[in-house]
Amino acid sequence: MAATTDATPSPQPERPGMKDGVCSEFTVFTKIKPGHADALREDLATLASGSADEANRAALRQIGTLHDARHVIFDNDTRHMFASVFDGSWDTYIDDFGKTVVGGRFDKVFSHTEGFPGIADPGVKDWFVAQQAPAGVFVSSYPDLTVQQIWKDQRVNKAFQAVLDTPEFRAALDNPANAELLATPAFQKLMEEAAA
């Protein structure tokens, strides 16, 4: 009798990197091409400049999964590290970056590293995996919050703070008709958190 197997293939291969809740870490260490450290440094400075920052921020909002990212040149200008924290799957993360202005910036930065095939190359994911060094420990301060949830929390907080500053809200607090609502533990907790 033949053993039964699950015929449904895995949609994406298992990728390296640790997770903490919804957050995943991604760190690659690459060798800088000889003589390219200054050019890489210049490209990183351009990446961090104001004009590039606006386009990057728009792309990051479009992607909506990146918590943070950093580039480091080290070992006497011979090595480069890129590290980031993101939501969702590893493959989607790489795909999303390739579809935005950030993909072109990745091409420019990583073109200074040995063997980088280009963000549009079908082998780019294999290249990243070969350069990736998963963290030994990875901890997030907010493991259950996606970037989208954090942005929503910021918008709600900003709107709530604006309400708190209105004379109408102050009048509602002083209105005896609202005394029962104001005395509830939930409302008291809301006001405590707003004051913190």
Side-chain angles (χ1 to χ4, degrees):
M1 178 189 239
T4 59
T5 61
D6 184 359
T8 306
S10 175
Q12 296 174 339
E14 185 67 27
R15 300 295 189 178
M18 294 191 75
K19 289 184 168 293
D20 187 12
V22 298
C23 302
S24 298
E25 61 87 20
F26 175 69
T27 307
V28 295
F29 294 95
T30 63
K31 291 181 181 177
I32 299 171
K33 292 176 182 175
H36 278 248
D38 287 339
L40 172 57
R41 195 171 281 108
E42 287 175 22
D43 286 342
L44 292 175
T46 300
L47 186 65
S49 74
S51 60
D53 187 55
E54 187 175 317
N56 282 339
R57 295 265 179 221
L60 294 177
R61 282 190 298 275
Q62 178 186 350
I63 294 167
T65 59
L66 180 70
H67 289 266
D68 61 69
R70 60 219 149 277
H71 293 267
V72 178
I73 297 172
F74 65 106
D75 277 351
N76 296 317
D77 289 354
T78 62
R79 298 185 69 206
H80 167 254
M81 178 198 79
F82 173 77
S84 63
V85 176
F86 63 95
D87 300 325
S89 81
W90 188 98
D91 284 272
T92 300
Y93 170 71
I94 300 297
D95 290 342
D96 285 349
F97 274 82
K99 295 174 189 171
T100 68
V101 66
V102 178
R105 303 238 162 84
F106 262 47
D107 268 338
K108 192 164 190 151
V109 166
F110 283 101
S111 72
H112 301 293
T113 64
E114 293 181 0
F116 182 65
I119 198 72
D121 188 283
V124 74
K125 290 180 183 179
D126 292 333
W127 185 85
F128 277 126
V129 167
Q131 314 310 310
Q132 192 170 350
V137 174
F138 171 62
V139 178
S140 174
S141 291
Y142 42 88
D144 298 323
L145 292 175
T146 66
V147 169
Q148 295 295 323
Q149 290 166 320
I150 292 167
W151 288 344
K152 180 180 178 182
D153 290 350
Q154 288 177 321
R155 291 189 307 269
V156 169
N157 182 55
K158 184 176 179 180
F160 182 66
Q161 293 298 328
V163 168
L164 290 179
D165 293 337
T166 64
E168 294 83 4
F169 182 76
R170 292 291 162 205
L173 289 179
D174 294 335
N175 186 334
N178 294 325
E180 190 174 322
L181 170 65
L182 301 179
T184 64
F187 190 85
Q188 292 298 312
K189 178 70 173 167
L190 179 65
M191 295 306 291
E192 286 171 20
E193 291 294 330

